[in-house]
Amino acid sequence: MYDLALRLGSSRSDAEDLVQEALLRALASFGTFQDTGAARAWLFTILRNAARNRWREAARHPSEQLQADAPAAEPPGEVPDWRSFSAEDLEALLPQLSPAAREIVALRDLHGVPYKDIATALDCPVGTVMSRLHRGRSELRRLFLARAGAAGRRSAG
Amino acid sequence: MTPTCEAVRTYLAAHVDGEATPLGTEAIAAHLEGCEACAAAAAELRAYREAMARAYRPVAAPASLARFLRRRARGSDPRRWIAAAAALLLLAGGAALLLDRGRRGGFQTLAEVAVVHHDAVASDRVPLDVATSDPAILVAWFAGRVPFPIRLPVLDSPDLHLVGGRLMEVAGELAGYVAYRKGDSVVSLGVAPAQAGAPPRGAESEVFGTLRFHLSRMRGHNVIAWTDRGLAYALVSDLPAQGRSSCSVCHAPGSGLRGVEGFHR
């Protein structure tokens, strides 16, 4: 949960506050959840909303919105060498993703949350989870291709 | 007739992610066998998943957060505390509490720890750290997280499906927990270095070929423990475990595995 808060773009101290806040609210209303899947989705939702509020309070980044809405143009034929994808690549690229992409990639690909739980957390149909995930992964793929290309040029030059 | 490329591409990521799709697993698999372009796309998705599983290093929650939780735990309704602990476990992706119990000396052997994790996973109280049906992805995920190379035993009976894994702690060392699904029930496998695999007390033992299997019941579950080439394994399930009959659960005729009788001398 702490990890997820960080991935959603919080600073370390913010992440800690967010997790505390989410757990306190959970403590206050637990007992109403019979289904742990629903509880999990609900806790993600708290984290996510809290993280979003913090972004709003912080300076707005208009470029992020543009990025999020940009069509996922994929250069045809170019396939990244995922075998060379390292922990450093992940740490460098994740913060560069648009908030929407970062959120869905963190939930699915880092935390392994099933589509239906993501759909509950994001309050959208599973079909939307699939298309957002596609866009998010495409964004990451594009950034990785650019980073690998730049690294290749550096080592060649 | 296999579905069209367009239909397959729509659901390919979900298929690779192990999610159910309206096209069905078999129809997609059949299409991939005959379509090079879609097969290449599926291969890239798998490579992507494997890369993410390998590259991801979870950030541990700071000690101050653990202190906060302990403070909250004191003096509050224990039922609420248990619920909050379950919530934390759900979201912490593995970390603290069960393991903490292990550190305090509650659970020392692989079989004991595997049974506790089996209960927690089967009742959906803790999530898997990694969800995958691909053994290669799981082994890659464990590499670098546990201090020994994990080898999964060959358990590929047609109705036993790999679901994923998580970390657990046995006698102070990190070990692997692997979840399978057989029909509606969870089958769990603990993997640790051989020294953690002391057979449960009162275990009945069976020799299969070169391996000795210890069969016992713990917390209402059937446990089969064995060691093989430096690794200890504990298989936890609610499937029958009485001598040879437990083995024939997976090694049934038609399972594709060697028959039970083939092991017995």
Side-chain angles (χ1 to χ4, degrees):
Chain A
M1 190 168 179
Y2 174 75
D3 180 273
L4 186 66
L6 279 182
R7 305 289 170 186
L8 291 177
S10 310
S11 70
R12 281 175 182 269
S13 62
D14 277 356
E16 196 173 335
D17 288 350
L18 284 176
V19 174
Q20 288 193 8
E21 184 186 326
L23 285 171
L24 280 176
R25 289 172 62 181
L27 275 166
S29 58
F30 250 112
T32 60
F33 286 105
Q34 295 303 317
D35 171 14
T36 52
R40 170 158 52 169
W42 181 77
L43 282 163
F44 279 136
T45 310
I46 293 178
L47 262 187
R48 172 178 182 257
N49 290 343
R52 289 213 156 162
N53 287 338
R54 308 246 166 165
W55 293 334
R56 286 200 198 99
E57 286 162 18
R60 285 179 177 272
H61 301 290
S63 64
E64 287 195 334
Q65 193 54 43
L66 287 175
Q67 247 181 326
D69 290 339
E74 289 166 57
E78 213 178 345
V79 177
D81 178 10
W82 288 111
R83 285 167 309 175
S84 72
F85 187 79
S86 65
E88 291 73 39
D89 289 325
L90 181 63
E91 294 305 324
L93 297 181
L94 212 52
Q96 295 181 37
L97 291 177
S98 65
R102 188 163 58 224
E103 169 177 278
I104 198 114
V105 166
L107 284 170
R108 173 64 226 179
D109 295 329
L110 305 186
H111 288 261
V113 182
Y115 287 14
K116 73 171 170 46
D117 292 348
I118 298 179
T120 311
L122 304 190
D123 193 22
C124 67
V126 170
T128 307
V129 170
M130 288 168 55
S131 54
R132 284 192 197 172
L133 188 57
H134 176 72
R135 280 199 298 273
R137 287 172 169 176
S138 300
E139 233 183 83
L140 182 60
R141 183 185 196 270
R142 215 161 44 241
L143 289 170
F144 178 50
L145 274 173
R147 181 174 159 92
R153 280 193 297 279
R154 265 201 309 279
S155 62
Chain B
M1 200 186 80
T2 75
T4 63
C5 288
E6 196 187 353
V8 167
R9 291 303 175 99
T10 304
Y11 293 108
L12 192 57
H15 171 75
V16 171
D17 281 342
E19 298 274 339
T21 74
L23 300 180
T25 307
E26 282 170 19
I28 295 180
H31 179 93
L32 294 180
E33 274 188 23
C35 176
E36 219 172 283
C38 289
E44 196 203 330
L45 279 166
R46 286 197 195 92
Y48 166 82
R49 277 172 56 89
E50 204 166 321
M52 293 295 274
R54 203 181 45 241
Y56 174 49
R57 298 274 177 270
V59 181
S64 50
L65 194 55
R67 279 197 299 276
F68 161 80
L69 284 165
R70 283 198 199 100
R71 268 201 314 278
R72 297 293 311 179
R74 279 197 289 272
S76 68
D77 173 356
R79 266 193 51 236
R80 284 189 161 188
W81 165 236
I82 288 164
L88 176 74
L89 276 166
L90 276 168
L91 293 165
L97 300 171
L98 276 176
L99 304 181
D100 208 38
R101 198 169 162 191
R103 265 195 291 276
R104 292 201 313 265
F107 305 113
Q108 290 302 320
T109 72
L110 173 65
E112 288 169 332
V113 180
V115 166
V116 170
H117 281 251
H118 173 83
D119 270 338
V121 169
S123 59
D124 206 18
R125 276 182 287 123
V126 300
L128 296 171
D129 292 338
V130 55
T132 178
S133 56
D134 185 339
I137 291 182
L138 187 61
V139 168
W141 185 85
F142 277 124
R145 289 188 171 85
V146 295
F148 59 94
I150 281 203
R151 280 190 316 274
L152 296 180
V154 180
L155 295 170
D156 56 351
S157 84
D159 57 345
L160 188 68
H161 302 289
L162 179 64
V163 184
R166 51 181 285 126
L167 294 176
M168 57 183 193
E169 194 176 314
V170 179
E173 296 292 335
L174 285 173
Y177 168 90
V178 182
Y180 299 87
R181 196 160 270 289
K182 188 179 169 75
D184 288 337
S185 55
V186 173
V187 174
S188 301
L189 178 76
V191 189
Q195 61 270 22
R201 274 190 296 278
E204 170 194 352
S205 75
E206 278 274 329
V207 176
F208 267 21
T210 57
L211 302 177
R212 179 175 288 278
F213 292 84
H214 303 276
L215 314 174
S216 58
R217 279 189 68 78
M218 296 171 74
R219 292 161 69 104
H221 304 293
N222 297 315
V223 181
I224 306 176
W226 72 98
T227 61
D228 181 22
R229 288 176 289 160
L231 293 182
Y233 298 93
L235 191 66
V236 185
S237 74
D238 298 318
L239 306 168
Q242 287 297 313
R244 291 178 189 199
S245 66
S246 61
C247 315
S248 50
V249 167
C250 292
H251 294 258
S255 66
L257 299 179
R258 282 170 66 190
V260 172
E261 295 312 317
F263 287 96
H264 286 272
R265 303 265 181 256

